[in-house]
């Protein structure tokens, strides 16, 4: 087998768990499979594993109940976190003045930092949950998450009718680092105990509830811009319960049916 | 209740006995049935059987003929023996009084 063929096999086999990779590659060697045979066998195994994963209802519940649940605010926060500095830069380059949003610069900066922190929390949690639920190989998983992240941002911006080459490409480039937490969470560099994962997911679900149903710091901005006047709102706890209910499937999965960690080398 | 392939796999593991691992189980399976099976089918089913606690697996020794790679050793658990036995009994009961002679489809004797 040539070096290139061995390299190709190695890349493909990297999507198997370490133990499985060890035993499968050893079996292929012992049975004297050639390159094509080995590629066919490993590809077949990966496809079967994927099918097995997606035939389980728990996988769908996990993706909808945890990953999508966390990515909804992450998408919005990603857009806000990128757009805010770009707005400042754009206005400054065009008019050579600082952009005035109606808030003080300090409040804008605090707001931006909060968005970055929340984005990091949500996207890392989504990546970590994705890794725990879907035992796809590390490279396929990172590729899938990258595609989801880029897709979400593209969709968000395209929906507002921005011209592709003018707006979307630079934003995709600038927003790439914002998805690093998600990719980090999806990689096996850091693993949490089950208790830690549950605590993190609960914190994320709570933060989602607070941010989306009480408007979080956006509400504070409105109050600031309205000279301290706070519009009448339904209490946050009254509006949070549907989100808490929505978090129950996630909690259920966390407590009962997280797949065994497969690990990667 | 086990599936057909799951039962065949359990039977192959039992026939190989001590020292059963991927290649030996696959070869035994092919000897029993006369069919060829992929490693993908083998390992996916082994994972499923292990998640049902019907078998237990562990990493064994590495040999030069495997390029220094370790074997995944397989052994039936008590639950696996019970499940296979129940499947066998069910098939035996279902087969009692049935004669699978070759005849044209739709032809009743």
């Amino acid at each position: 087998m040539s070096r290139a063929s061995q390299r190709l096999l190695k890349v493909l086999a990297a999507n198997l768990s370490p133990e499985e990779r060890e035993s499968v590659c050893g079996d292929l060697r012992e049975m004297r499979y050639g390159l094509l045979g080995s590629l066919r066998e490993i590809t077949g195994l990966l496809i079967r594993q994927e099918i097995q994963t997606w035939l389980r209802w728990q996988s769908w519940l996990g993706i909808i109940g945890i990953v999508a649940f966390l990515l909804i605010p992450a998408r919005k926060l990603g857009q806000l976190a990128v757009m805010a500095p770009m707005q400042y830069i754009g206005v400054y380059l065009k008019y050579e003045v600082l952009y005035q949003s109606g808030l003080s610069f300090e409040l804008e900066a605090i707001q931006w930092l909060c968005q970055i922190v929340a984005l990091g929390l949500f996207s890392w949690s989504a990546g970590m949950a994705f890794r725990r639920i879907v035992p796809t190989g590390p490279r396929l998983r990172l590729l899938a998450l990258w595609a989801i992240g880029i897709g979400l941002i593209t969709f968000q911006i395209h929906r507002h009718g921005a011209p592709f080459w003018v707006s979307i490409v630079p934003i995709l480039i600038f927003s790439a680092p914002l998805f690093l937490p998600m990719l980090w969470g999806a990689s096996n560099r850091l693993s949490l105990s089950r208790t830690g994962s549950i605590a993190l997911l609960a914190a994320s679900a709570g933060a989602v509830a607070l941010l989306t149903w009480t408007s979080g710091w956006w509400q504070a901005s409105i109050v600031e811009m309205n000279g301290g006047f706070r519009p009448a709102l339904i209490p946050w706890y009254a509006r949070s319960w549907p989100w808490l209910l929505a978090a129950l499937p996630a909690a259920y999965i966390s407590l009962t049916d997280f797949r065994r960690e497969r690990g990667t080398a | 209740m086990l599936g057909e392939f799951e039962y065949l796999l359990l039977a192959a593991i039992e026939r190989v006995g001590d020292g059963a691992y991927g290649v030996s189980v696959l070869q035994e399976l092919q000897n029993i049935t006369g069919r060829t099976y992929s490693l993908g089918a083998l390992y996916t089913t082994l994972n499923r059987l292990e998640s049902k606690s019907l078998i237990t697996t562990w990493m064994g020794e590495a040999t030069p003929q495997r390029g220094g790679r370790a074997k995944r050793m397989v052994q039936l658990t008590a639950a696996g023996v019970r499940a296979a036995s129940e499947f066998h009994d069910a098939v035996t009961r279902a087969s009692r009084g049935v004669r699978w002679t070759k005849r044209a489809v739709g032809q009743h004797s």
Side-chain angles (χ1 to χ4, degrees), chain A residues 69-70 72-73 121-122 202-214 243:
Chain A
F69 187 68
L70 294 169
I72 291 168
L121 173 71
F122 291 145
S204 303
V208 170
L210 287 171
L211 290 178
T212 54
W213 285 80
T214 64
W243 286 90

Side-chain angles (χ1 to χ4, degrees), chain A residues 18-31 33 41 44-45 48-49 52 260 262, chain B residues 21-23 26 38-41 43-44 47-48 50 59 64-72:
Chain A
E19 286 190 355
E20 211 152 47
R21 184 164 60 239
E22 182 83 356
S23 52
V24 169
C25 290
D27 287 352
L28 289 171
R29 179 83 179 261
E30 191 177 335
M31 290 191 290
Y33 271 76
E41 292 295 320
L45 177 57
R48 280 169 187 273
Q49 285 182 345
Q52 290 278 319
R260 184 165 58 92
R262 293 166 67 93
Chain B
Y21 69 101
V23 174
L26 194 66
S38 67
L39 275 178
Y43 277 96
T44 313
N47 288 340
R48 195 166 58 243
E50 192 173 26
M59 296 308 285
Q65 68 181 103
R66 295 172 60 82
R69 304 268 192 181
K71 296 172 179 174
R72 185 175 174 188

Side-chain angles (χ1 to χ4, degrees), chain A residues 95-155:
Chain A
Y95 304 108
E96 294 187 353
V97 291
L98 273 178
Y99 172 69
Q100 295 294 325
S101 66
L103 298 179
S104 66
F105 184 76
E106 289 77 17
L107 192 58
E108 282 269 9
I110 291 167
Q111 196 170 296
W112 187 74
L113 277 175
C114 287
Q115 285 164 357
I116 293 288
V117 170
L119 173 65
L121 173 71
F122 291 145
S123 62
W124 185 85
S125 303
M128 188 270 299
F130 192 79
R131 168 164 65 92
R132 300 286 300 262
I133 296 161
V134 182
T136 307
R139 292 172 194 198
L140 287 176
R141 190 165 50 214
L142 294 183
L143 193 68
L145 276 174
W146 185 264
I148 290 169
I150 296 299
L152 282 170
I153 287 192
T154 310
F155 170 75

